[in-house]
Amino acid sequence: MSTFSATANGGSTIGYAQYDSSSWSTGSGNGACQGAYKGTTAAKSRVGVMVFNGAGAALKGKLIQQISLSITCSGAGSGSSGKVLTFHKANYQSLNTGVRGSAQVGDTLGALTGKFYSNTVTHTLNASTNAALFSAMKAYFEAGNSALVLYNGETSSSSGYSSNYARVTSCTITVTYIDAAVWYCDGGTWKRCTVWYRTGGAWKQVVPYYNSGGAWVRVCKGKRQLGPGCFFNTTVQ
Protein backbone atom coordinates (compact mmCIF):
# COMPACT_ATOMS: atom_id res chain seq x y z
CA MET A 1 0.00 0.00 0.00
CA SER A 2 1.01 3.63 -0.52
CA THR A 3 0.25 6.82 1.41
CA PHE A 4 -0.49 10.39 0.35
CA SER A 5 -0.53 13.27 2.82
CA ALA A 6 -1.11 17.03 2.51
CA THR A 7 -1.97 19.88 4.87
CA ALA A 8 -4.32 22.82 4.33
CA ASN A 9 -3.10 25.69 6.51
CA GLY A 10 -1.63 28.37 4.25
CA GLY A 11 -2.83 31.48 2.48
CA SER A 12 -3.62 29.59 -0.70
CA THR A 13 -5.00 26.43 0.90
CA ILE A 14 -7.41 27.47 3.66
CA GLY A 15 -9.95 30.25 4.03
CA TYR A 16 -13.61 31.24 4.32
CA ALA A 17 -16.23 33.66 3.04
CA GLN A 18 -19.84 34.32 3.88
CA TYR A 19 -22.28 32.43 1.66
CA ASP A 20 -23.38 35.50 -0.28
CA SER A 21 -20.03 37.31 -0.25
CA SER A 22 -16.87 37.27 -2.40
CA SER A 23 -14.75 38.75 0.39
CA TRP A 24 -12.43 35.95 1.51
CA SER A 25 -10.30 35.66 4.63
CA THR A 26 -7.41 33.24 4.16
CA GLY A 27 -4.56 31.57 6.03
CA SER A 28 -4.44 29.61 9.27
CA GLY A 29 -5.24 32.70 11.35
CA ASN A 30 -8.64 32.89 9.68
CA GLY A 31 -9.15 29.21 8.98
CA ALA A 32 -11.98 27.43 7.22
CA CYS A 33 -15.18 28.32 9.06
CA GLN A 34 -18.69 26.89 9.02
CA GLY A 35 -21.81 28.26 10.65
CA ALA A 36 -22.51 31.87 11.57
CA TYR A 37 -21.17 34.51 13.94
CA LYS A 38 -23.55 37.41 14.47
CA GLY A 39 -25.19 36.27 11.26
CA THR A 40 -28.97 36.36 11.41
CA THR A 41 -29.55 35.53 7.73
CA ALA A 42 -28.57 32.57 5.56
CA ALA A 43 -26.45 34.88 3.40
CA LYS A 44 -24.07 35.30 6.34
CA SER A 45 -23.48 31.63 7.02
CA ARG A 46 -19.79 30.91 6.44
CA VAL A 47 -18.23 28.68 3.78
CA GLY A 48 -14.84 27.20 4.58
CA VAL A 49 -12.47 25.80 1.94
CA MET A 50 -9.51 23.45 2.48
CA VAL A 51 -7.23 22.60 -0.45
CA PHE A 52 -4.92 19.58 -0.30
CA ASN A 53 -2.28 20.29 -2.90
CA GLY A 54 -1.35 17.32 -5.06
CA ALA A 55 -4.27 15.14 -3.99
CA GLY A 56 -5.96 15.16 -7.38
CA ALA A 57 -2.91 13.93 -9.28
CA ALA A 58 -1.84 11.47 -6.59
CA LEU A 59 -5.20 9.81 -5.94
CA LYS A 60 -7.02 9.86 -9.27
CA GLY A 61 -7.75 6.32 -10.35
CA LYS A 62 -6.33 4.79 -7.16
CA LEU A 63 -8.19 2.43 -4.82
CA ILE A 64 -8.46 4.24 -1.50
CA GLN A 65 -8.48 2.02 1.59
CA GLN A 66 -8.54 4.60 4.39
CA ILE A 67 -8.67 8.37 4.95
CA SER A 68 -7.42 10.10 8.08
CA LEU A 69 -8.26 13.73 8.88
CA SER A 70 -6.21 15.49 11.56
CA ILE A 71 -8.22 18.62 12.34
CA THR A 72 -7.00 21.57 14.41
CA CYS A 73 -9.63 24.06 15.58
CA SER A 74 -9.47 27.37 17.41
CA GLY A 75 -11.56 28.13 20.48
CA ALA A 76 -14.50 29.52 18.51
CA GLY A 77 -18.13 28.65 19.03
CA SER A 78 -19.26 25.90 21.37
CA GLY A 79 -16.93 23.53 23.21
CA SER A 80 -19.49 20.74 22.95
CA SER A 81 -18.32 17.22 22.15
CA GLY A 82 -21.36 16.86 19.88
CA LYS A 83 -20.41 19.52 17.36
CA VAL A 84 -20.98 18.50 13.74
CA LEU A 85 -18.63 19.36 10.87
CA THR A 86 -20.43 19.15 7.53
CA PHE A 87 -18.31 18.39 4.45
CA HIS A 88 -19.17 19.19 0.84
CA LYS A 89 -17.58 18.67 -2.52
CA ALA A 90 -15.80 21.75 -3.85
CA ASN A 91 -16.91 23.27 -7.13
CA TYR A 92 -13.41 24.70 -7.53
CA GLN A 93 -10.33 22.66 -6.69
CA SER A 94 -8.52 25.74 -5.45
CA LEU A 95 -9.14 28.59 -3.04
CA ASN A 96 -10.92 30.75 -5.60
CA THR A 97 -11.22 34.17 -3.97
CA GLY A 98 -12.91 35.64 -7.03
CA VAL A 99 -16.27 33.99 -6.42
CA ARG A 100 -18.91 34.11 -3.71
CA GLY A 101 -18.85 31.53 -0.97
CA SER A 102 -21.99 29.96 -2.41
CA ALA A 103 -20.22 29.23 -5.70
CA GLN A 104 -17.76 26.92 -3.97
CA VAL A 105 -20.37 24.70 -2.26
CA GLY A 106 -20.97 21.40 -4.02
CA ASP A 107 -22.93 18.30 -3.06
CA THR A 108 -22.88 17.14 0.55
CA LEU A 109 -20.35 14.40 1.34
CA GLY A 110 -21.31 13.80 4.97
CA ALA A 111 -20.39 14.83 8.49
CA LEU A 112 -18.15 14.15 11.48
CA THR A 113 -19.29 14.61 15.08
CA GLY A 114 -16.92 15.43 17.93
CA LYS A 115 -15.23 18.20 19.86
CA PHE A 116 -13.91 20.76 17.41
CA TYR A 117 -12.89 23.49 19.84
CA SER A 118 -9.38 24.57 20.82
CA ASN A 119 -7.93 21.14 20.00
CA THR A 120 -6.41 18.81 17.43
CA VAL A 121 -8.29 15.59 16.82
CA THR A 122 -7.83 12.81 14.26
CA HIS A 123 -10.80 11.07 12.68
CA THR A 124 -10.31 7.83 10.75
CA LEU A 125 -12.57 6.95 7.83
CA ASN A 126 -12.70 3.46 6.32
CA ALA A 127 -15.18 0.74 5.42
CA SER A 128 -16.02 0.08 9.08
CA THR A 129 -15.49 3.47 10.74
CA ASN A 130 -17.40 6.54 9.51
CA ALA A 131 -18.29 4.29 6.59
CA ALA A 132 -20.82 6.56 4.85
CA LEU A 133 -18.51 9.56 4.82
CA PHE A 134 -15.61 7.33 3.76
CA SER A 135 -17.54 5.97 0.80
CA ALA A 136 -18.42 9.48 -0.40
CA MET A 137 -14.92 10.91 0.09
CA LYS A 138 -13.29 7.84 -1.43
CA ALA A 139 -15.24 8.26 -4.68
CA TYR A 140 -14.63 12.03 -4.65
CA PHE A 141 -10.85 11.80 -4.29
CA GLU A 142 -10.54 8.81 -6.62
CA ALA A 143 -12.16 11.03 -9.26
CA GLY A 144 -9.20 13.44 -9.00
CA ASN A 145 -10.45 16.15 -6.64
CA SER A 146 -8.28 18.09 -4.19
CA ALA A 147 -10.50 20.34 -2.03
CA LEU A 148 -13.11 20.02 0.70
CA VAL A 149 -15.74 22.57 1.72
CA LEU A 150 -17.22 23.11 5.18
CA TYR A 151 -20.75 24.51 5.15
CA ASN A 152 -23.91 23.94 7.20
CA GLY A 153 -26.12 26.92 6.36
CA GLU A 154 -26.70 27.83 10.02
CA THR A 155 -27.69 31.28 11.20
CA SER A 156 -27.09 32.82 14.63
CA SER A 157 -28.32 35.51 16.93
CA SER A 158 -27.07 39.06 16.40
CA SER A 159 -24.62 38.64 19.27
CA GLY A 160 -23.22 35.11 19.17
CA TYR A 161 -22.33 31.91 17.37
CA SER A 162 -24.55 29.32 15.72
CA SER A 163 -24.69 25.92 17.44
CA ASN A 164 -22.16 24.17 15.18
CA TYR A 165 -19.90 27.10 14.43
CA ALA A 166 -16.30 25.94 13.97
CA ARG A 167 -13.02 27.42 12.78
CA VAL A 168 -10.57 24.85 11.39
CA THR A 169 -7.11 26.44 11.35
CA SER A 170 -5.28 23.41 9.92
CA CYS A 171 -6.30 20.08 8.43
CA THR A 172 -3.99 17.26 7.37
CA ILE A 173 -5.35 14.51 5.17
CA THR A 174 -3.57 11.15 5.02
CA VAL A 175 -4.84 8.67 2.46
CA THR A 176 -3.85 5.02 2.23
CA TYR A 177 -4.36 3.54 -1.22
CA ILE A 178 -3.32 0.84 -3.64
CA ASP A 179 -2.70 0.95 -7.38
CA ALA A 180 -5.12 -1.17 -9.35
CA ALA A 181 -2.45 -2.29 -11.80
CA VAL A 182 -1.05 -5.44 -13.34
CA TRP A 183 1.85 -6.14 -15.68
CA TYR A 184 1.87 -8.26 -18.82
CA CYS A 185 4.74 -9.45 -21.00
CA ASP A 186 4.62 -8.22 -24.59
CA GLY A 187 7.43 -9.55 -26.82
CA GLY A 188 9.74 -9.96 -23.85
CA THR A 189 8.97 -6.51 -22.39
CA TRP A 190 6.92 -6.07 -19.22
CA LYS A 191 4.21 -3.43 -19.58
CA ARG A 192 2.02 -1.97 -16.83
CA CYS A 193 -1.73 -1.58 -17.19
CA THR A 194 -4.69 -0.83 -14.95
CA VAL A 195 -7.70 -3.14 -14.62
CA TRP A 196 -11.22 -1.92 -15.42
CA TYR A 197 -14.62 -3.48 -15.95
CA ARG A 198 -17.84 -2.10 -17.40
CA THR A 199 -21.04 -2.03 -15.36
CA GLY A 200 -24.25 -0.12 -16.00
CA GLY A 201 -22.67 1.75 -18.88
CA ALA A 202 -19.75 3.03 -16.80
CA TRP A 203 -16.13 1.84 -16.55
CA LYS A 204 -14.86 1.17 -13.01
CA GLN A 205 -11.29 0.50 -11.89
CA VAL A 206 -10.81 -2.64 -9.82
CA VAL A 207 -8.18 -4.52 -7.82
CA PRO A 208 -7.07 -7.76 -9.52
CA TYR A 209 -7.45 -11.12 -7.73
CA TYR A 210 -6.20 -14.59 -8.62
CA ASN A 211 -7.46 -18.02 -7.58
CA SER A 212 -5.07 -20.13 -5.54
CA GLY A 213 -6.28 -23.59 -4.48
CA GLY A 214 -9.90 -22.47 -4.54
CA ALA A 215 -9.27 -19.23 -2.60
CA TRP A 216 -9.28 -15.78 -4.18
CA VAL A 217 -6.21 -13.71 -3.25
CA ARG A 218 -5.91 -9.98 -3.86
CA VAL A 219 -2.71 -8.90 -5.57
CA CYS A 220 -0.94 -5.61 -6.11
CA LYS A 221 2.97 -5.81 -6.33
CA GLY A 222 5.71 -8.64 -6.96
CA LYS A 223 5.64 -10.91 -9.98
CA ARG A 224 3.30 -13.91 -9.69
CA GLN A 225 2.58 -16.55 -12.32
CA LEU A 226 -1.08 -17.33 -12.88
CA GLY A 227 -0.66 -19.88 -15.63
CA PRO A 228 1.72 -20.77 -18.45
CA GLY A 229 3.22 -17.52 -19.70
CA CYS A 230 0.82 -15.40 -17.64
CA PHE A 231 2.10 -13.23 -14.80
CA PHE A 232 0.86 -10.50 -12.49
CA ASN A 233 3.64 -8.22 -11.27
CA THR A 234 2.20 -7.62 -7.81
CA THR A 235 2.47 -8.10 -3.91
CA VAL A 236 -0.07 -10.38 -2.26
CA GLN A 237 -2.11 -8.45 0.34
Side-chain angles (χ1 to χ4, degrees), residues 49 51 90-96 99-100 103-104 140 147 149:
V49 176
V51 180
N91 288 331
Y92 297 90
Q93 300 307 308
S94 64
L95 187 52
N96 189 342
V99 300
R100 293 183 179 184
Q104 186 62 286
Y140 178 66
V149 168

Side-chain angles (χ1 to χ4, degrees), residues 7-196:
T7 300
N9 65 357
S12 63
T13 58
I14 197 166
Y16 78 90
Q18 291 182 349
Y19 188 78
D20 200 34
S21 171
S22 58
S23 177
W24 289 83
S25 300
T26 63
S28 61
N30 293 299
C33 301
Q34 68 164 30
Y37 174 61
K38 297 181 179 180
T40 57
T41 64
K44 293 185 177 181
S45 190
R46 298 183 177 186
V47 176
V49 176
M50 301 177 292
V51 180
F52 303 102
N53 286 334
L59 300 175
K60 185 175 183 179
K62 301 300 190 294
L63 295 170
I64 294 174
Q65 307 298 295
Q66 181 167 288
I67 299 171
S68 173
L69 295 172
S70 178
I71 301 168
T72 300
C73 292
S74 69
S78 165
S80 166
S81 60
K83 187 179 288 187
V84 177
L85 283 187
T86 304
F87 294 88
H88 291 255
K89 297 178 180 179
N91 288 331
Y92 297 90
Q93 300 307 308
S94 64
L95 187 52
N96 189 342
T97 57
V99 300
R100 293 183 179 184
S102 58
Q104 186 62 286
V105 182
D107 294 339
T108 303
L109 290 166
L112 287 173
T113 301
K115 184 175 181 180
F116 300 104
Y117 179 87
S118 194
N119 67 341
T120 297
V121 61
T122 298
H123 287 262
T124 299
L125 287 62
N126 54 41
S128 58
T129 303
N130 298 305
L133 180 57
F134 170 69
S135 179
M137 282 196 179
K138 168 181 161 69
Y140 178 66
F141 285 115
E142 287 176 350
N145 294 292
S146 302
L148 291 173
V149 168
L150 294 175
Y151 174 70
N152 60 18
E154 289 181 348
T155 59
S156 70
S157 69
S158 59
S159 60
Y161 295 99
S162 63
S163 58
N164 287 293
Y165 184 90
R167 183 191 301 272
V168 176
T169 57
S170 179
C171 183
T172 297
I173 188 170
T174 302
V175 181
T176 303
Y177 65 90
I178 58 178
D179 288 297
V182 297
W183 294 74
Y184 68 96
C185 190
D186 181 14
T189 301
W190 285 99
K191 296 183 178 181
R192 183 176 185 270
C193 65
T194 54
V195 182
W196 297 74

